[in-house]
Amino acid sequence: MSILQVLDLGLAILVLAVAGWTIAARELFASVVGYVAYGLLLSIVWIRLYAPDVALTEAAIGSGVTGVLLVTTGARLRGAGGVEANRPPGISLRFLAPGLAVLVAAALAAVVLLLPEPPTTLAPEAREGLAATGLGNPVTAVLIAYRSFDTMLEKVVLVLAVVGVWSLAPDRFWGGAPAPLGRARPEGALLFLDQALVPLGILVGIHLFWVGADEPGGAFQAGAILAAMWMIVMISRLTEPPRVGARWLRLALIAGPAVFLAVGLAGPGMAGGFFAYPAGFAKPIILFIEAFMVLSIAVTLPMLVAGPPRRSPEP
Amino acid sequence: MIETPPALAVTAGGSLLMLAILAPVAAILLSFALGGRFAERVALGLTPIGLAIAIAIAVCVWRSGAPLVYNVAGLPPPLGIALRADGISCVMLVTAALVIAAAAFYARANFATPEGVTEARAPLAFWILIQAVWAALTILFVGGDLFNLYVALELLTFAAVPLVCLSGKPETLVAALRYLMFALFGSVFYLLGAALIYGAYGTLDIVLLAERMRPLPAVWLAAGLMTAGLLAKTALFPLHLWLPPAHANAPAAASAVLSGLVVKGSFFVTIRLWFTVLPSLPGGAAEAVLGTLGSAAILFGSVLALRQERLKLLIAYSTLAQIGYLFLIFPLASGAHPWIADGWSGGMMQTLSHAFAKAAMFMSAGLLAESLGHDRIAEFAGAGRAMPATFFVLGLGGLSLMGLPPSGGFAAKWLLLRASVAADQWPWAIVMLAGGLLAAGYVYRILAPALSAGAIVLKAPPQRRREAIALALAIVAVALGFAPPSFFDFLQIGRAATTALP
Amino acid sequence: MSASTLAGLVGAALVGLGLYGLIVNPQPLRKILAFNLIGSGAFLVFGIVARRGAAAGFPFDPVPQAMVITGIVVAFAASALAVALILRLREETGNVSLDSDAPAKPPGDGAGAS
């Protein structure tokens, strides 16, 4: 076995061990920390699978932003007090669960090993269409050109998630701001992090967006980085979450899907079909759409983490 | 322009499919940005537009006798995404448009933004969520790509769950959380199945998959996983635990849409999966399992409905039972037999008539609860005299649930009975008859106390306009019973002949 | 054993682990973690399909990778919605339980209910 294979095996074992820890840990906080570590290990797995775009997204959103969400929630759940009234599952379920899990995992493993040869792929078709889009990164091409309809709908799903989260506020808090993300005024290390990391992070985010057309990167990854920077600033209480009634917030949240929709609707006039791009002009349009997507994602993710409004709107 | 081979598959009028989806999507974004009272106005303004597009699509399909097809961005599958509307898509689109329009106008009294306030939580959320339900359902009915359908299923979940807990009461929060858990279970296993199918065939386009389909281990597992997930979303026994509390405690307009339409969305995807993508298993083992689960749902749901003390819970358990009838379409309409046309038409007719009947019943239950201040059936004595129109609507809806003529429910059960007799699959027939009797039982339970003598104190006068909306839906449910044979021919348009039809 | 086959097996194991955690853990937040595990297992299956589809000069098939990116974002949104529900339930009833007959205690002094 070569070094790489040994490393792969080690990585696989580590991933499974951390995942098992996440399930089995007694304390909620330990479980969440395990999940964040798991996400980062998973990003390395994605690199080994030659999927840098996915690795970036997994690290930024799957592990990073989800981690912030879960840690904040864990803290809020601990702080509120109250009683855990959950009954552990009965004996029959405890016997059923491992059996079912092993069955499904084994079936899945068998099927994965038996996937047909030669492997099916759409890479040749993706390569063919790439020239017309002017892009160099085929994943971006799939997201914003070939299957743009999916991506546009997914942006709408994000808007709905925000509406759903906000609708969970008590009536009297509507229009107000969510609770602050952090505890106290920043001091020392956190302030230094803000001053040093955040500007750098913003630059990295913008760079990822620009470069994503031809290299790994793109709107989702860039948006996630910018979202993380805003969250850092909110966690250290340098700024507070905005009021949910703020007009600029509403517009920023829908900017991505709205621009995507508008360009898609203009498709028949420009290029003969909805969501089609005119020849030779595809790349600028794609970057234009992606810019607004970055804005929307950068605003949506922190608002989803911040949660429903918990302060009364000022009179 | 992205190169397109000659667009053989695309049909004229295909752009309508895209417009049908983009109209509610644009409305959602507009409602969110404008906020306040505009959300309600946009939603109400959308209803005639959406209905017109749905009718236009149906007319196009009827005229041409073939499904409408549209390739998004002009890019055909396997790389691109296709939209397709066949006969059953059209009837579902029109049904969704009518039921949501009715629910929207019904809900104006409950979800108007109060005076003196720019924006309120429940109204804004309601109007956006209901439009999102419409958008998601439209994609589910015309989507031609399994991953596109996944995104639509997620949109539907995100729209439906907050509707359940819109009132903010603790029992609705528990119900919403349980609903979300089941829905997430459904999504993740659906996605896993889709991954396996892509690995096996290199595409997720439904029609291409039907062409390329061969029995492979990956396909069997994928079918099992995806079906399990979809059954959880459709609340088929035994994955039904979430539905009664969720539908019973939601606001009445939301319950109408949830029971009438939302569960039908994932059911529709199940039909697409089993009747277009997958080949029939030899002997029809999988279809028989689905039919058995459906039968269990019919019996279980009806018996539980008989025992309910609250009207809305009774109606919700009745939904469980009626969903069971839907799954009889699988054993009765698959393969290549002379009776499958009956099975197909019966299953679809059940979907449509239940949508209208159940929506009407939930709306009536809502009006009752508002007028009486409660929905405990035992205390309905004399309510029949005080609110005759509302109980008339409940009776009409019950007619369809029982399967008595004249009603769409009768047509549906008659067709399914005929199919099961012709197919020599007697157990389904027996179950359906038993279900009909049990339904008669619980409908009687609703109406009997109300028709008995008793003094009743109305907390609020009955609202004529909203009663009329519920009545209109109930009348449609009954009118479906008079559907001409050409209607059933329409339902067969585009029905994939996965095995040679005689 | 190639990296992609190994990753596929890991994905299968993750789905099994997540399913076990889902059934066995009564706390809703732990169930959300379990869902995320199952989801990442499903994404890994997409990932190995993408890796196996290396062709036309690309070391991967971009379509499944794009689906995974979409899936990760949607999974996060679902987690956020679930978390918001859990927190609200905690505020309203003082505990988070999916048992319908669990006692709904009024929250303690610290947490003000609406």
Side-chain angles (χ1 to χ4, degrees):
Chain A
M1 286 221 282
S2 71
I3 291 287
L4 209 52
Q5 284 183 316
V6 172
L7 283 175
D8 280 343
L9 197 57
L11 185 59
I13 294 175
L14 201 56
V15 166
L16 289 177
V18 177
W21 163 252
T22 306
I23 297 290
R26 289 269 163 81
E27 267 250 348
L28 181 62
F29 188 67
S31 188
V32 170
V33 168
Y35 180 75
V36 176
Y38 163 81
L40 292 174
L41 286 171
L42 212 54
S43 312
I44 304 180
V45 173
W46 284 110
I47 298 279
R48 286 293 297 130
L49 285 176
Y50 286 77
D53 301 79
V54 181
L56 282 168
T57 314
E58 172 67 40
I61 300 183
S63 166
V65 182
T66 311
V68 173
L69 177 73
L70 294 172
V71 168
T72 325
T73 310
R76 283 176 179 164
L77 279 179
R78 263 197 324 246
V83 161
E84 268 308 330
N86 291 296
R87 289 192 301 247
I91 299 292
S92 55
L93 222 49
R94 292 200 93 96
F95 274 115
L96 186 65
L100 192 61
V102 167
L103 192 66
V104 171
L108 200 49
V111 161
V112 159
L113 288 174
L114 292 173
L115 280 176
E117 297 282 343
T120 59
T121 178
L122 285 174
E125 286 88 341
R127 166 74 76 185
E128 266 181 49
L130 209 52
T133 60
L135 297 171
N137 181 354
V139 178
T140 306
V142 175
L143 280 173
I144 321 273
Y146 306 146
R147 298 188 63 109
S148 52
F149 191 51
D150 268 346
T151 311
M152 196 269 307
L153 287 175
E154 178 218 340
K155 301 306 308 291
V156 176
V157 170
L158 282 181
V159 172
L160 257 302
V162 173
V163 171
V165 166
W166 284 357
S167 77
L168 289 167
D171 279 325
R172 66 182 185 280
F173 290 153
W174 185 256
L181 284 179
R183 286 188 184 274
R185 297 292 302 177
E187 34 184 80
L190 201 52
L191 197 54
F192 174 70
L193 202 66
D194 288 330
Q195 288 169 335
L197 183 61
V198 171
L200 192 60
I202 294 179
L203 282 178
V204 168
I206 297 177
H207 171 78
L208 266 181
F209 148 68
W210 187 252
V211 140
D214 297 312
E215 310 280 328
F220 288 106
Q221 297 83 348
I225 304 266
L226 293 177
M229 295 305 113
W230 192 18
M231 278 192 282
I232 291 180
V233 171
M234 281 201 279
I235 288 174
S236 42
R237 303 294 295 268
L238 286 180
T239 95
E240 301 294 340
R243 292 174 28 247
V244 302
R247 178 74 53 159
W248 69 263
L249 181 62
R250 301 270 175 103
L251 288 175
L253 287 168
I254 66 154
V259 166
F260 214 148
L261 181 67
V263 173
L265 275 173
M270 285 196 301
F274 290 107
F275 291 98
Y277 304 121
F281 214 54
K283 185 165 176 183
I285 295 183
I286 290 174
L287 283 172
F288 179 71
I289 296 175
E290 280 202 288
F292 286 95
M293 279 176 62
V294 169
L295 172 64
S296 280
I297 295 171
V299 172
T300 305
L301 299 186
M303 293 314 294
L304 284 176
V305 171
R310 283 201 181 81
R311 302 273 181 275
S312 295
E314 285 85 52
Chain B
M1 177 158 171
I2 299 175
E3 281 306 319
T4 70
L8 297 164
V10 177
T11 59
S15 321
L16 282 174
L17 302 179
M18 182 57 86
L19 287 175
I21 299 174
L22 293 184
V25 167
I28 292 169
L29 298 177
L30 203 59
S31 304
F32 188 71
L34 294 176
R37 294 202 163 67
F38 293 104
E40 177 182 342
R41 290 181 201 155
V42 168
L44 293 175
L46 178 65
T47 53
I49 298 176
L51 182 59
I53 299 178
I55 293 177
I57 294 175
V59 166
C60 278
V61 171
W62 189 25
R63 284 237 190 91
S64 65
L68 282 184
V69 181
Y70 186 77
N71 295 329
V72 181
L75 190 64
L79 191 60
I81 297 173
L83 303 173
R84 283 185 198 88
D86 55 9
I88 57 174
S89 306
C90 295
V91 294
M92 292 307 298
L93 284 174
V94 174
T95 303
L98 288 173
V99 171
I100 291 185
F105 281 96
Y106 172 91
R108 289 184 70 193
N110 296 118
F111 290 106
T113 314
E115 296 297 320
V117 169
T118 329
E119 189 178 78
R121 175 196 67 96
L124 181 74
F126 177 80
W127 296 112
I128 295 183
L129 293 171
I130 200 121
Q131 293 174 85
V133 166
W134 197 354
L137 287 173
T138 309
I139 304 168
L140 288 174
F141 297 145
V142 305
D145 176 278
L146 289 178
F147 190 76
N148 211 6
L149 292 178
Y150 164 75
V151 179
L153 285 171
E154 292 294 280
L155 183 62
L156 191 62
T157 301
F158 286 17
V161 167
L163 275 176
V164 169
C165 58
L166 204 49
S167 67
K169 295 202 280 264
E171 61 270 14
T172 63
L173 291 171
V174 174
L177 188 57
R178 188 178 276 129
Y179 181 12
L180 185 59
M181 293 287 164
F182 274 87
L184 288 181
F185 168 85
S187 308
V188 87
F189 279 94
Y190 178 91
L191 190 62
L192 190 50
L196 292 174
I197 289 187
Y198 187 88
Y201 299 109
T203 178
L204 287 179
D205 181 73
I206 290 179
V207 166
L208 275 184
L209 282 173
E211 285 172 18
R212 297 182 185 182
M213 185 56 54
R214 331 180 291 282
L216 286 176
V219 172
W220 296 149
L221 184 62
L225 293 171
M226 291 173 87
T227 307
L230 290 167
L231 292 189
K233 285 179 178 283
T234 317
L236 181 68
F237 182 91
L239 297 169
H240 61 280
L241 277 174
W242 62 266
L243 189 144
H247 287 198
N249 295 321
S255 302
V257 170
L258 287 168
S259 254
L261 295 175
V262 171
V263 293
K264 312 287 172 38
S266 39
F267 172 70
F268 197 84
V269 178
T270 318
I271 290 187
R272 282 279 184 248
L273 188 64
W274 281 97
F275 284 102
T276 314
V277 175
L278 299 171
S280 307
L281 276 168
E287 285 88 352
V289 168
L290 289 172
T292 311
L293 291 176
S295 307
I298 295 175
L299 298 173
F300 193 68
S302 303
V303 167
L304 282 178
L306 277 172
R307 299 177 47 202
Q308 293 309 311
E309 297 181 355
R310 285 183 50 210
L311 179 60
K312 291 185 83 175
L313 267 175
L314 188 155
I315 300 179
Y317 276 100
S318 157
T319 299
L320 284 185
Q322 300 287 319
I323 287 173
Y325 284 100
L326 295 179
F327 279 85
L328 293 178
I329 201 180
F330 289 99
L332 292 176
S334 53
H337 306 285
W339 61 78
I340 60 173
D342 273 350
W344 183 258
S345 304
M348 287 315 301
M349 179 57 88
Q350 168 71 10
T351 315
L352 302 177
S353 64
H354 178 250
F356 288 104
K358 196 44 69 75
M361 291 182 79
F362 264 120
M363 287 184 189
S364 303
L367 288 173
L368 261 177
E370 282 175 31
S371 290
L372 296 177
H374 70 86
D375 70 336
R376 289 182 295 277
I377 301 178
E379 299 170 31
F380 277 176
R385 215 146 299 139
M387 306 184 64
T390 308
F391 279 94
F392 180 62
V393 172
L394 283 172
L396 276 187
L399 209 63
S400 200
L401 296 184
M402 286 188 269
L404 285 182
S407 68
F410 168 71
K413 283 146 188 131
W414 172 247
L415 286 164
L416 288 172
L417 273 170
R418 211 162 67 176
S420 60
V421 166
D424 229 4
Q425 298 178 21
W426 289 94
W428 315 134
I430 299 175
V431 167
M432 279 191 272
L433 292 173
L437 280 173
L438 290 169
Y442 61 70
V443 172
Y444 177 74
R445 269 208 72 214
I446 302 176
L447 297 177
L451 296 174
S452 67
I456 199 96
V457 178
L458 285 186
K459 282 199 175 166
Q463 301 158 64
R464 297 289 167 218
R465 195 170 291 171
R466 299 169 82 196
E467 284 178 338
I469 295 175
L471 182 63
L473 287 182
I475 289 179
V476 175
V478 167
L480 280 173
F482 295 103
S486 51
F487 180 77
F488 299 111
D489 294 335
F490 183 74
L491 290 177
Q492 308 287 334
I493 293 180
R495 195 160 120 56
T498 52
T499 54
L501 272 178
Chain C
M1 177 175 292
S2 67
S4 59
T5 320
L6 190 57
L9 295 178
V10 167
L14 287 172
V15 170
L17 262 175
L19 190 57
Y20 176 76
L22 183 62
I23 300 177
V24 155
N25 262 319
Q27 286 181 28
L29 197 61
R30 304 290 290 252
K31 289 194 201 274
I32 299 296
L33 279 172
F35 275 124
N36 278 321
L37 275 173
I38 304 177
S40 53
F43 297 147
L44 274 180
V45 175
F46 266 116
I48 65 147
V49 169
R51 177 71 184 123
R52 279 160 44 94
F58 293 135
F60 54 80
D61 179 356
V63 175
Q65 285 190 7
M67 292 178 181
V68 170
I69 294 178
T70 304
I72 292 177
V73 176
V74 171
F76 167 72
S79 301
L81 184 60
V83 153
L85 260 174
I86 291 172
L87 285 174
R88 179 91 173 114
L89 192 55
R90 166 74 125 207
E91 280 173 21
E92 284 290 307
T93 64
N95 67 62
V96 189
S97 169
L98 288 175
D99 304 323
S100 39
D101 50 356
K105 289 190 165 189
D109 320 336
S114 70

